[in-house]
Amino acid sequence: MKSTESAENYLETILILSQKLPVVRSIDIAVELGFKKSSVSVAMKHLREHGHIVVSEAGYITLTDTGKEIADMIYERHQFLSTWLISLGVDEKIASADACRIEHVISSESFSAIKNAIECV
């Protein structure tokens, strides 16, 4: 399950928006991320081609099983890492920004080890 940081960010955003909104559209993603709708449309095409999303005729975007798996993984990492950094005294905005960078590059093995170590404390 190899994906790019950009794709992971889009999938995570779709997941978050799907928890807040009845339906997710490209314009919702563009507004959330502060991107141009044309840029989001290109990204959605790539995600669709890789089987991570389905776009209905009405333009509603839904995660596929593989897309949701990636989004869930990234979202869990983000939530866990930002909470941990905040507990260490890092400012909330900095913790969230740092977690956003770390979540894409940390291996599953290292993330699990950190998570297990922290949860045992």
Side-chain angles (χ1 to χ4, degrees), residues 7 10-19 21-29 40 43-72:
Y10 278 111
L11 293 170
E12 181 183 25
T13 300
I14 294 166
L15 175 70
I16 292 166
L17 288 173
S18 70
Q19 295 169 351
L21 304 172
V23 294
V24 179
R25 301 163 302 150
S26 290
I27 189 66
D28 302 317
I29 298 165
V40 173
M44 293 306 103
K45 179 182 179 220
H46 290 257
L47 291 175
R48 192 175 63 252
E49 289 172 349
H50 285 90
H52 297 312
I53 64 167
V54 174
V55 182
S56 74
E57 287 194 22
Y60 303 150
I61 300 166
T62 308
L63 294 169
T64 63
D65 289 343
T66 59
K68 184 158 180 1
E69 184 180 337
I70 295 167
D72 284 340

Side-chain angles (χ1 to χ4, degrees), residues 37-108:
K37 189 172 180 318
S38 58
S39 298
V40 173
S41 294
V42 170
M44 293 306 103
K45 179 182 179 220
H46 290 257
L47 291 175
R48 192 175 63 252
E49 289 172 349
H50 285 90
H52 297 312
I53 64 167
V54 174
V55 182
S56 74
E57 287 194 22
Y60 303 150
I61 300 166
T62 308
L63 294 169
T64 63
D65 289 343
T66 59
K68 184 158 180 1
E69 184 180 337
I70 295 167
D72 284 340
M73 175 194 67
I74 295 300
Y75 186 67
E76 177 194 16
R77 289 178 178 190
H78 183 91
Q79 293 298 106
F80 186 86
L81 292 167
S82 60
T83 300
W84 175 52
L85 291 169
I86 291 166
S87 76
L88 296 174
V90 176
D91 175 79
E92 191 173 329
K93 281 187 175 184
I94 294 170
S96 182
D98 286 346
C100 194
R101 287 190 291 276
I102 296 167
E103 69 195 25
H104 301 287
V105 296
I106 192 168
S107 69
S108 295

